[in-house]
Amino acid sequence: MCTVTWWMSPDGSGYELFFNRDERRSRQPAEPPKLFHRLAVNYLAPTDTDYRGTWLLVNDRGVTLALVNHYPQEPQPPKTPARSRGLLARDLADSESIAEIRERLGRARLHHYSPMFIFAFERGEAPVKWTWDSRNLLEEPAAEPLPFFTSSSFRSEDIRRHRRKLFAENWADKGRLDPRSLSEFHLHRETEQPAFGILMDRPNARTVSLSHIVVGPGAEAVFAYQSRQPEDGTLPNAPLVSRLELVNSRSSEAAL
């Protein structure tokens, strides 16, 4: 249950990604993004306190990885013991490119994971989406046809159709979406059907956090994170911002 959108710089120098995480109300609050290390790579990621994995990360190579739960009509239970999908994200956190993620996913024992969608981004490359349905792994361009993706365990088809229509209408109304428009889109709420909103609410689930990752041509990546208050569903006035120094940034290459 999540919504992800993105904006790619026309010159290929960077990208911005927005992510609404939707979760059951029974889940423990996540830990905000902090710095982690895997082998020789640093990365920023929030932490799922139930299983210690993550659903979203950006590393110092400028690579972003995002996981979204998949709800196929006929899922095949993973082999026991099932492993948290968020731990797979951490396993891939030191990947230096989309190509490396592709190669490592091809070797991974995915049958131990529940179904999921995996998104990967890097500067100068078209983003990629993989679909794991508990049987097969399918790769395709992420933006087909729009830079938007959403998933819901409740009334899955109805909600996906509604949110996609809302995104398409925003695209048409604004002519071309930019990061500011996407930020506003992720705050959209539905009064009559709160479960259909991008910032959604249901009796047993809700949007629990909003993330915004910026990877540009400069020397750092920025991860802005907002966690909704459990009492009234409000957002803090300002996001928690974490910064990560990039390795081999375009600006440093130009300086050479």
Side-chain angles (χ1 to χ4, degrees):
M1 301 181 289
C2 298
T3 299
V4 57
T5 68
W6 58 93
W7 173 85
M8 308 299 292
S9 173
D11 64 1
S13 63
Y15 60 88
E16 299 193 26
L17 177 140
F18 298 83
F19 194 111
N20 280 26
R21 184 192 186 208
D22 305 335
E23 266 299 349
R24 297 187 303 274
R25 293 179 184 269
S26 59
R27 296 286 294 271
Q28 295 296 314
E31 296 175 5
K34 70 176 184 178
L35 183 65
F36 293 93
H37 314 277
R38 180 171 173 80
L39 301 179
V41 175
N42 298 324
Y43 70 96
L44 292 171
T47 298
D48 170 16
T49 52
D50 288 288
Y51 300 104
R52 308 310 300 174
T54 189
W55 62 96
L56 182 64
L57 64 89
V58 59
N59 68 23
D60 62 12
R61 272 54 175 179
V63 173
T64 290
L65 185 74
L67 297 186
V68 177
N69 290 353
H70 182 22
Y71 306 98
Q73 293 183 350
E74 298 180 0
Q76 178 180 333
K79 294 181 180 180
T80 56
R83 190 168 187 257
S84 170
R85 290 167 285 204
L87 296 177
L88 175 64
R90 291 204 187 277
D91 290 346
L92 297 170
D94 60 317
S95 300
E96 299 195 14
S97 65
I98 291 176
E100 182 176 346
I101 293 173
R102 177 184 296 113
E103 191 273 332
R104 293 171 70 172
L105 283 175
R107 293 187 285 106
R109 297 180 178 180
L110 296 179
H111 290 90
H112 293 292
Y113 300 96
S114 296
M116 61 185 149
F117 301 100
I118 306 166
F119 291 82
F121 301 80
E122 68 171 301
R123 291 174 294 190
E125 297 290 337
V128 173
K129 179 185 78 174
W130 290 272
T131 302
W132 169 245
D133 65 2
S134 75
R135 295 181 178 86
N136 301 295
L137 181 68
L138 171 67
E139 177 182 329
E140 57 188 332
E144 286 292 344
L146 299 171
F148 162 86
F149 188 82
T150 193
S151 173
S152 175
S153 61
F154 171 72
R155 296 183 60 179
S156 299
E157 290 303 321
D158 291 339
I159 287 179
R160 281 201 294 264
R161 188 180 304 111
H162 177 84
R163 291 175 180 171
R164 178 175 287 276
K165 182 175 182 291
L166 181 66
F167 185 86
E169 288 173 347
N170 271 266
W171 184 285
D173 290 345
K174 299 180 184 302
R176 177 179 179 180
L177 288 179
D178 55 24
R180 181 174 179 178
S181 300
L182 293 178
S183 179
E184 294 172 354
F185 175 78
H186 279 258
L187 297 175
H188 175 81
R189 305 179 77 164
E190 296 280 350
T191 303
E192 296 183 359
Q193 295 181 299
F196 282 62
I198 308 305
L199 192 67
M200 77 88 171
D201 288 278
R202 297 202 319 257
N204 65 339
R206 66 202 289 269
T207 299
V208 295
S209 64
L210 288 75
S211 297
H212 178 198
I213 291 176
V214 180
V215 177
E220 66 178 13
V222 179
F223 197 136
Y225 182 83
Q226 293 176 280
S227 180
R228 288 180 77 186
Q229 301 301 312
E231 299 82 8
D232 57 8
T234 59
L235 294 167
N237 292 330
L240 176 65
V241 177
S242 303
R243 301 178 186 276
L244 177 67
E245 184 177 354
L246 296 175
V247 175
N248 296 327
S249 68
R250 292 195 171 202
S251 61
S252 61
E253 290 174 355
L256 298 175

